[in-house]
Amino acid sequence: MSSPAPEASYTFLGPEGTFTEAALLQVPGADVARRVPAPTVNAALDLVRNGSVDAAMVPIENSVEGGVSATLDAISQGEPLRIIREVLVPITFVLVAKPEIRLNDVQTISTHGHAWAQCQLWITQNIPGAEYMPGSSTAAAAVGLLEKDCPYDAAICSPFVAERLGLPVLGSHIGDVADAVTRFILVSRPDVLPEPTGADKTTLVIPLPEDHPGALMEILDQFAARGVNLSRIESRPTGQFLGDYFFSIDAEGHIADARVADALKGLHRISPHLRFLGSYARADRREHSVARHTSDEAFRAARIWVESLQQND
Amino acid sequence: MSSPAPEASYTFLGPEGTFTEAALLQVPGADVARRVPAPTVNAALDLVRNGSVDAAMVPIENSVEGGVSATLDAISQGEPLRIIREVLVPITFVLVAKPEIRLNDVQTISTHGHAWAQCQLWITQNIPGAEYMPGSSTAAAAVGLLEKDCPYDAAICSPFVAERLGLPVLGSHIGDVADAVTRFILVSRPDVLPEPTGADKTTLVIPLPEDHPGALMEILDQFAARGVNLSRIESRPTGQFLGDYFFSIDAEGHIADARVADALKGLHRISPHLRFLGSYARADRREHSVARHTSDEAFRAARIWVESLQQND
Amino acid sequence: MSSPAPEASYTFLGPEGTFTEAALLQVPGADVARRVPAPTVNAALDLVRNGSVDAAMVPIENSVEGGVSATLDAISQGEPLRIIREVLVPITFVLVAKPEIRLNDVQTISTHGHAWAQCQLWITQNIPGAEYMPGSSTAAAAVGLLEKDCPYDAAICSPFVAERLGLPVLGSHIGDVADAVTRFILVSRPDVLPEPTGADKTTLVIPLPEDHPGALMEILDQFAARGVNLSRIESRPTGQFLGDYFFSIDAEGHIADARVADALKGLHRISPHLRFLGSYARADRREHSVARHTSDEAFRAARIWVESLQQND
Amino acid sequence: MSSPAPEASYTFLGPEGTFTEAALLQVPGADVARRVPAPTVNAALDLVRNGSVDAAMVPIENSVEGGVSATLDAISQGEPLRIIREVLVPITFVLVAKPEIRLNDVQTISTHGHAWAQCQLWITQNIPGAEYMPGSSTAAAAVGLLEKDCPYDAAICSPFVAERLGLPVLGSHIGDVADAVTRFILVSRPDVLPEPTGADKTTLVIPLPEDHPGALMEILDQFAARGVNLSRIESRPTGQFLGDYFFSIDAEGHIADARVADALKGLHRISPHLRFLGSYARADRREHSVARHTSDEAFRAARIWVESLQQND
């Protein structure tokens, strides 16, 4: 089936005005749907699990900081969830300030820790003495400037929020990396499977069956033997004790593709507790070439050949 | 279905009295069936292909000489055939002679070239000066001794033939290797598939899809990824030009086993012109352990899991 | 050579009183050495790079949250650094409050975002209505309680800090995971290589040479072919654009071990820009068995054999 | 060092006039050297082992029949030998007869069994009723025609012998395969190692270390991990009992090539009793491309890099 209908309801890692809400607004119909901000990723996912909303938009990775651990772990455990969409949002930061403040006056800046980390070059060059005051989000830091007795002078946030709040912008494009992008995922209950589009991604959580040299190879071989490329892999501690871990993996292709389905069968045999977190369209729409011998047609021909041999008598 | 019925007809690499006939006589019912000796392996296989007989017994390997090239190639090409049984015959050689000849008198010995090669130690020690005269088979060499004007004094043959012909035995167990064994196969038309027995073998002919480092690895990986062991492998020139070759392989297990069937599917994708030469009981009855994750049950569970995910909507 | 001498100077991710300082104090001699708190991981590493201190203690992973992305990236880029020691610190959280506050009175809690995430179960059960106020560290949140006009009532921090500051403890062992552990690394300039201890770890940064199915396999095969186990792997975006990535890997063993050195040689051939971040003692002291054919002796015997063949003439 | 000097002495699988002598005559200087025919491959190799001659020319493979088992086994066991040259000889057969015999008169034909097998198409079409009489070699069969009381009418041999003996040729190019080629090897004592030429081959005998799925993969992985292609592989029974076997392998490249030497080191670790049978120029002079990351330079750079890291202190 397809994505949730326009009348669907959503939650997102709030507050309003964050990059996460910007990601949600890219989902068709989300602009007119009910949108509930949630204080944490876990809180957002719980709203999905208990049926309060249809889906949650949460951050999963950014091109500067790598995977967002809390989200990865939250969807890997507990009641099953399903990733149904991936959204990329370009990360552009601006420095906004209280109305009366000029760049030279800025002494204290608030923003989310990740945003602060990503603007260090500009800060060091332009306001080297500025002090950092942690904020729970970029949007919250910007909103704070409107409050009386705000303990800081300026905030780093998205242009989107700066415009919405009408705050003066003291610096634009202040991020260290010109083309930084954040990746978000839309998460629903596990009764949804998006149609294949030809440029899809499949996310899996695979417990390591045994800890010996080559155990990881055996897992990866299940992909390689079917010509399935990986676009992300992370070993993750299980939370029980160091050394006991699982793999969080993004593979190219859709479970409706024969080569992906066949790889999943092989993985199930060697790690029966693996978790399928969804097949969904790649946000970058990049198609991957499929070798002739890993095409659906090659799998179909192989199956027919073996079955004809088995039914020989 | 099972092996040919008792009223079946057979051919074998003749003449009568060779180890090959001894192998055929191990097949239940063959002792009372029609048995036609053939002059060459190709002639025997042609009798099967054109329907003159039901099956042919031909030598495929011995523990001293390795694969019998002509047989391997003959069943790999032309009209498809099917191996339905494997037979092991212990190789014991005796030296027989014309009635009046004693060991010290022996000057010329005839036998098949392979037999001659396998008795060199005994010959060198006991009749070092003896000359070799090629024979087309061990049995033919023994039979020749009964003819008038036989140009040689002695022959190396099986005890079976010596006894049948009533020839005096000048030496027993004269082979270099105490426990030498020859392997024979029973070959039928491709409409027969023996039932799995739990200790089976599957024979394949696999053209090398491309000639690059790792191409052979890709083929073997299809076995290893399913826990299928190989008991024989040979690269063979295709007969067209050196460097272009195929693989002749024996794998443990039956095509009715899920892990073997799955390996065959993978092989078909990367080398679509491979040939299935049969699944049949191992002559040595040696069972092989199957890891839990390559059992039929593991394959079934994996398939059900993936299908349930695919039919999600 | 060995670890820095007692008169060495250190920096650590501050402020004083964090788990990171606790980790540093486990280093022999660090208690009497100069210790400089740094505001960020990058700032700490810069103090090492520019020679201001000998080494920096920074967090690298915890058993609940996984890898600490900022640290991984910071040591993977820029002027080379070297990991020379790994330290584990059990994570135990306490809830401390202003003197007059009792548990029922707590309305706002400050702490670091990771700590807040790890105490959700206890908070939900005991003070479900409590609001979160981000803090830059657990120690900073605790120190804040001593200030006049502190905007929050309570803080989550380590027992170590609570005791040092003399703050009343309203709850102990409030973390979700009983045995949570954080892993820290001591980082120096690249002129230090700790002696092998028999229970070592080697950290590498390996750019993916090409993006095709099997490219990751080729990298991992270099470890598997020498019997070298991995204890951590993460693919990481390079920061340029999504899809272009490198691997951050911990392997078992020391570069002084022949099997590790041989794997490094293989890796250098297929990804010449890989970075060696150090070989150092495992904090958990867990020894790993080494198969006979991957022992130093096996490597030595193999080298001697091949050299004797090469010098044949 | 280079090949034996012109004053060297040789043996070959006789008698004179066989394709094997033709192969030997391709060795520079062999035409004026002492040439001793030997009755069997083992006899020829023994003449080398005991120092009677410098080297032996023996058949190893033909493009129709595959490997010549006896030769493969003979050089794999016993006192070590060394392959120092490979020679290809086109196989062209002619039918020769006694002076008075015409094609229609031919009733009995003698030749070596392999030659007989390779001329079946022509025989069947031109003298379908002809009977076969085994000969110990093609040359011996031809020579026999000159004797009084020769029991057969015709022989199949090489054009070379037909011309030397002045026998009438009843049919030319009578082999089934137009471009059939036989491969011969020149075998010396193990104190010779030919210089690399850029188009070389290395022959190895590798006992299977353990019999489990993947054991063969581990062996082949040592080649693949260094980009070394194989041009031949055969599993061979050890001669003790069926199921216990070794691999006879030809790999592309010379032991002086870093990638081949490195593969040999890896093989020595997992199968310490492997045997190096020589590195020598390919008869077909076909060069193989070497990937940048498996070049001698890549191996040298990798070694230097690791050594610089190890000598860090």
Side-chain angles (χ1 to χ4, degrees):
Chain A
M1 63 153 285
S2 59
S3 294
E7 65 274 22
S9 56
Y10 298 96
T11 184
F12 62 96
L13 179 64
E16 292 180 8
T18 56
F19 289 100
T20 313
E21 191 184 18
L24 178 56
L25 290 172
Q26 290 191 22
V27 177
D31 52 343
V32 297
R34 185 162 67 94
R35 299 194 302 278
V36 185
T40 66
V41 168
N42 271 316
L45 298 179
D46 282 346
L47 290 179
V48 176
R49 284 185 171 117
N50 68 26
S52 303
V53 297
D54 292 311
M57 183 67 76
V58 290
I60 190 74
E61 188 180 357
N62 74 48
S63 60
V64 177
E65 295 280 327
V68 176
S69 308
T71 302
L72 276 174
D73 288 348
I75 59 173
S76 300
Q77 293 158 18
E79 278 295 298
L81 292 167
R82 189 65 60 81
I83 304 172
I84 57 175
R85 181 184 284 266
E86 169 183 59
V87 174
L88 295 180
V89 176
I91 301 294
T92 320
F93 292 112
V94 296
L95 183 74
V96 292
K98 293 176 181 167
E100 70 278 14
I101 298 279
R102 282 175 305 180
L103 191 55
N104 287 343
D105 305 328
V106 174
Q107 291 185 316
T108 322
I109 302 172
S110 183
T111 192
H112 187 268
H114 286 178
W116 180 249
Q118 290 175 46
C119 298
Q120 285 306 298
L121 292 182
W122 192 91
I123 297 291
T124 307
Q125 284 187 325
N126 294 279
I127 30 176
E131 240 180 272
Y132 173 54
M133 183 168 297
S136 59
S137 73
T138 53
V143 167
L145 291 173
L146 301 179
E147 289 171 9
K148 209 176 65 169
D149 298 332
C150 173
Y152 48 89
D153 310 315
I156 293 172
C157 64
S158 71
F160 168 65
V161 162
E163 192 187 348
R164 185 188 282 188
L165 300 179
L167 286 165
V169 172
L170 303 187
S172 291
H173 296 287
I174 68 171
D176 296 350
V177 179
D179 304 319
V181 167
T182 291
R183 192 158 72 88
F184 299 84
I185 51 174
L186 187 64
V187 178
S188 76
R189 287 178 294 282
D191 52 358
V192 183
L193 183 65
E195 296 286 342
T197 68
D200 303 292
K201 184 182 277 192
T202 294
T203 299
L204 302 168
V205 172
I206 309 173
L208 187 69
E210 294 179 83
D211 194 6
H212 65 86
L216 173 56
M217 289 287 284
E218 286 168 24
I219 287 178
L220 298 184
D221 189 32
Q222 300 297 328
F223 295 101
R226 282 84 175 187
V228 176
N229 207 356
L230 303 189
S231 54
R232 186 183 57 80
I233 179 170
E234 293 186 50
S235 66
R236 310 269 309 152
T238 59
Q240 306 296 355
F241 50 92
L242 256 67
D244 199 5
Y245 49 97
F246 65 88
F247 295 99
S248 172
I249 284 177
D250 286 352
E252 290 180 356
H254 193 285
I255 193 176
D257 296 331
R259 68 191 180 286
V260 175
D262 208 52
L264 283 175
K265 287 179 197 164
L267 291 166
H268 186 273
R269 288 191 291 105
I270 62 179
S271 185
H273 300 296
L274 87 165
R275 208 178 250 217
F276 170 74
L277 288 185
S279 289
Y280 49 93
R282 294 172 64 110
D284 61 10
R285 315 303 314 131
R286 191 165 59 169
E287 300 194 15
H288 38 272
S289 63
V290 175
R292 191 203 57 72
H293 69 279
T294 61
S295 66
D296 283 10
E297 174 50 29
F299 275 91
R300 204 182 65 90
R303 182 175 50 74
I304 289 173
W305 178 70
V306 170
E307 286 176 359
S308 74
L309 292 172
Q310 287 177 323
Q311 290 147 14
N312 199 178
D313 55 335
Chain B
M1 64 153 284
S2 59
S3 296
E7 65 273 23
S9 57
Y10 298 96
T11 184
F12 62 96
L13 180 63
E16 292 180 7
T18 56
F19 288 100
T20 313
E21 191 185 17
L24 178 55
L25 290 172
Q26 290 191 22
V27 177
D31 53 343
V32 298
R34 185 162 67 95
R35 299 195 302 279
V36 185
T40 66
V41 168
N42 272 316
L45 298 179
D46 282 347
L47 290 179
V48 175
R49 284 186 171 116
N50 67 27
S52 303
V53 297
D54 292 312
M57 183 66 76
V58 290
I60 189 74
E61 188 180 358
N62 74 49
S63 60
V64 176
E65 295 281 327
V68 175
S69 308
T71 303
L72 276 175
D73 288 348
I75 59 172
S76 300
Q77 292 159 17
E79 277 295 297
L81 292 167
R82 188 65 58 82
I83 304 172
I84 57 175
R85 181 183 283 265
E86 168 184 60
V87 174
L88 295 179
V89 176
I91 301 294
T92 321
F93 293 112
V94 296
L95 184 74
V96 293
K98 292 176 181 166
E100 71 278 14
I101 299 279
R102 280 175 306 182
L103 192 54
N104 287 342
D105 305 328
V106 172
Q107 291 186 313
T108 321
I109 302 173
S110 183
T111 192
H112 187 269
H114 286 179
W116 179 249
Q118 290 175 47
C119 298
Q120 285 306 297
L121 291 182
W122 191 91
I123 297 289
T124 307
Q125 284 187 325
N126 293 280
I127 30 176
E131 241 180 89
Y132 174 53
M133 183 167 299
S136 57
S137 72
T138 54
V143 167
L145 290 173
L146 302 178
E147 290 169 10
K148 208 176 67 170
D149 298 332
C150 173
Y152 48 89
D153 310 314
I156 294 172
C157 63
S158 71
F160 169 65
V161 163
E163 192 187 348
R164 184 188 283 186
L165 301 179
L167 287 165
V169 171
L170 303 187
S172 291
H173 296 287
I174 68 172
D176 297 350
V177 179
D179 305 317
V181 167
T182 291
R183 192 158 73 87
F184 299 85
I185 51 175
L186 187 64
V187 177
S188 77
R189 287 178 295 282
D191 52 358
V192 183
L193 182 65
E195 296 287 340
T197 69
D200 304 292
K201 185 183 278 192
T202 294
T203 299
L204 302 168
V205 172
I206 309 174
L208 187 68
E210 293 179 83
D211 194 5
H212 64 86
L216 174 55
M217 289 286 285
E218 286 168 24
I219 287 177
L220 298 183
D221 188 33
Q222 301 296 328
F223 295 101
R226 282 83 175 187
V228 175
N229 208 355
L230 303 188
S231 54
R232 186 183 56 80
I233 179 171
E234 292 186 50
S235 66
R236 310 268 309 152
T238 58
Q240 306 296 355
F241 51 91
L242 256 65
D244 200 5
Y245 50 98
F246 65 88
F247 295 98
S248 173
I249 284 177
D250 285 352
E252 291 180 355
H254 194 284
I255 193 175
D257 296 332
R259 68 191 180 286
V260 175
D262 208 53
L264 284 176
K265 287 178 197 163
L267 291 165
H268 186 273
R269 288 191 291 106
I270 62 179
S271 184
H273 300 297
L274 87 164
R275 208 177 250 217
F276 170 74
L277 289 185
S279 289
Y280 49 94
R282 293 173 65 110
D284 61 11
R285 317 302 314 131
R286 191 165 60 169
E287 299 194 15
H288 39 272
S289 63
V290 175
R292 192 205 56 74
H293 69 278
T294 61
S295 66
D296 283 9
E297 175 51 28
F299 275 91
R300 205 184 63 91
R303 183 175 48 74
I304 289 172
W305 178 69
V306 170
E307 287 175 0
S308 74
L309 291 172
Q310 286 177 322
Q311 290 147 15
N312 199 178
D313 54 336
Chain C
M1 62 153 283
S2 59
S3 295
E7 64 274 20
S9 56
Y10 299 95
T11 185
F12 62 97
L13 180 63
E16 292 181 7
T18 56
F19 289 101
T20 313
E21 190 184 17
L24 178 55
L25 290 173
Q26 290 191 21
V27 177
D31 52 344
V32 299
R34 185 162 66 95
R35 297 194 304 278
V36 185
T40 65
V41 168
N42 271 316
L45 298 179
D46 283 346
L47 290 179
V48 177
R49 285 186 170 116
N50 67 27
S52 303
V53 298
D54 291 312
M57 183 67 76
V58 289
I60 189 74
E61 189 180 357
N62 76 47
S63 61
V64 177
E65 295 280 326
V68 176
S69 309
T71 302
L72 276 175
D73 287 349
I75 59 174
S76 300
Q77 293 158 18
E79 277 296 297
L81 292 168
R82 189 65 59 81
I83 304 172
I84 57 175
R85 180 183 285 265
E86 168 184 58
V87 174
L88 294 180
V89 176
I91 300 295
T92 321
F93 293 111
V94 295
L95 183 73
V96 293
K98 293 175 182 167
E100 71 276 16
I101 299 279
R102 280 175 306 181
L103 192 56
N104 287 343
D105 305 329
V106 173
Q107 291 186 314
T108 321
I109 301 173
S110 183
T111 193
H112 187 269
H114 286 179
W116 179 250
Q118 289 175 48
C119 297
Q120 285 305 299
L121 291 182
W122 191 91
I123 297 290
T124 307
Q125 283 188 325
N126 293 279
I127 30 175
E131 240 180 273
Y132 173 53
M133 182 167 297
S136 59
S137 72
T138 54
V143 167
L145 290 172
L146 301 178
E147 290 170 10
K148 209 176 65 166
D149 298 332
C150 174
Y152 47 89
D153 309 315
I156 293 173
C157 64
S158 71
F160 169 63
V161 163
E163 191 186 349
R164 185 187 284 187
L165 300 179
L167 286 166
V169 172
L170 303 188
S172 290
H173 296 288
I174 68 172
D176 297 351
V177 179
D179 304 318
V181 167
T182 290
R183 191 159 73 88
F184 298 84
I185 52 175
L186 187 64
V187 178
S188 77
R189 287 177 295 282
D191 52 359
V192 183
L193 182 64
E195 296 286 341
T197 69
D200 304 292
K201 185 183 275 192
T202 294
T203 299
L204 302 168
V205 172
I206 309 172
L208 187 69
E210 292 179 85
D211 193 5
H212 65 87
L216 174 55
M217 289 286 285
E218 285 167 24
I219 287 177
L220 298 184
D221 189 33
Q222 301 296 329
F223 295 100
R226 283 84 175 187
V228 175
N229 207 356
L230 303 189
S231 54
R232 187 183 56 80
I233 179 170
E234 293 185 50
S235 65
R236 311 269 309 152
T238 59
Q240 305 296 354
F241 51 90
L242 256 66
D244 200 3
Y245 49 97
F246 66 87
F247 295 99
S248 173
I249 283 176
D250 285 352
E252 290 180 357
H254 192 284
I255 193 174
D257 296 331
R259 67 191 180 287
V260 174
D262 208 52
L264 283 176
K265 287 177 197 164
L267 290 165
H268 186 273
R269 288 192 291 104
I270 61 178
S271 184
H273 300 296
L274 88 165
R275 208 178 250 215
F276 170 73
L277 289 185
S279 288
Y280 49 94
R282 293 172 66 110
D284 61 11
R285 315 302 314 130
R286 191 165 60 168
E287 299 195 14
H288 39 272
S289 62
V290 175
R292 191 203 57 74
H293 68 279
T294 61
S295 66
D296 282 10
E297 174 51 28
F299 275 91
R300 204 183 65 89
R303 182 176 50 75
I304 289 172
W305 178 69
V306 170
E307 287 176 359
S308 74
L309 291 173
Q310 287 177 323
Q311 289 148 16
N312 200 178
D313 55 336
Chain D
M1 63 153 284
S2 58
S3 295
E7 65 273 20
S9 56
Y10 299 95
T11 185
F12 62 97
L13 180 63
E16 292 181 8
T18 56
F19 289 101
T20 314
E21 191 185 16
L24 178 55
L25 290 172
Q26 291 191 21
V27 177
D31 53 343
V32 298
R34 185 163 66 94
R35 298 194 302 277
V36 185
T40 65
V41 168
N42 271 315
L45 299 179
D46 283 347
L47 290 179
V48 177
R49 284 186 172 116
N50 67 26
S52 304
V53 297
D54 291 311
M57 183 66 75
V58 290
I60 190 74
E61 188 180 357
N62 75 48
S63 60
V64 177
E65 295 280 326
V68 176
S69 308
T71 302
L72 276 174
D73 288 349
I75 59 172
S76 300
Q77 292 158 19
E79 277 295 298
L81 292 167
R82 188 66 59 82
I83 304 172
I84 57 175
R85 181 184 284 262
E86 168 184 59
V87 174
L88 295 180
V89 176
I91 300 295
T92 320
F93 292 111
V94 295
L95 183 74
V96 293
K98 292 175 182 166
E100 70 277 16
I101 299 280
R102 281 175 305 182
L103 192 54
N104 288 344
D105 305 328
V106 173
Q107 291 186 315
T108 321
I109 302 173
S110 182
T111 192
H112 186 268
H114 286 179
W116 179 249
Q118 289 174 48
C119 298
Q120 285 306 297
L121 292 182
W122 192 91
I123 297 290
T124 307
Q125 284 187 324
N126 294 279
I127 31 176
E131 241 180 89
Y132 173 53
M133 182 168 297
S136 59
S137 73
T138 54
V143 167
L145 291 172
L146 302 178
E147 289 170 11
K148 209 175 64 168
D149 299 331
C150 174
Y152 48 88
D153 310 314
I156 294 173
C157 64
S158 71
F160 168 64
V161 163
E163 191 186 350
R164 186 188 282 186
L165 301 179
L167 286 166
V169 172
L170 303 188
S172 291
H173 297 287
I174 68 172
D176 297 351
V177 179
D179 304 319
V181 166
T182 290
R183 191 159 73 88
F184 298 85
I185 52 175
L186 186 64
V187 178
S188 77
R189 286 178 294 282
D191 53 358
V192 183
L193 182 65
E195 296 287 339
T197 68
D200 305 291
K201 185 182 278 193
T202 293
T203 299
L204 302 168
V205 172
I206 309 173
L208 187 68
E210 293 178 84
D211 194 5
H212 64 87
L216 174 55
M217 289 287 284
E218 286 168 23
I219 287 176
L220 298 184
D221 188 33
Q222 301 296 328
F223 295 101
R226 282 84 174 186
V228 176
N229 207 357
L230 303 189
S231 54
R232 186 183 56 80
I233 178 170
E234 292 186 50
S235 65
R236 309 268 310 153
T238 59
Q240 305 296 354
F241 50 92
L242 257 66
D244 201 3
Y245 50 97
F246 66 86
F247 295 99
S248 173
I249 283 177
D250 285 353
E252 290 180 356
H254 193 284
I255 193 175
D257 296 331
R259 67 191 180 286
V260 174
D262 207 53
L264 283 175
K265 287 178 197 164
L267 291 165
H268 186 273
R269 289 192 290 105
I270 62 179
S271 184
H273 300 297
L274 88 165
R275 209 178 249 216
F276 170 74
L277 288 185
S279 289
Y280 48 94
R282 295 171 65 109
D284 61 11
R285 316 302 314 131
R286 192 166 58 170
E287 300 195 13
H288 38 272
S289 63
V290 175
R292 191 203 56 74
H293 68 280
T294 61
S295 66
D296 282 10
E297 174 51 28
F299 275 92
R300 204 183 65 90
R303 182 175 50 75
I304 289 172
W305 179 70
V306 170
E307 287 176 359
S308 74
L309 291 173
Q310 286 177 325
Q311 290 149 14
N312 199 179
D313 55 336

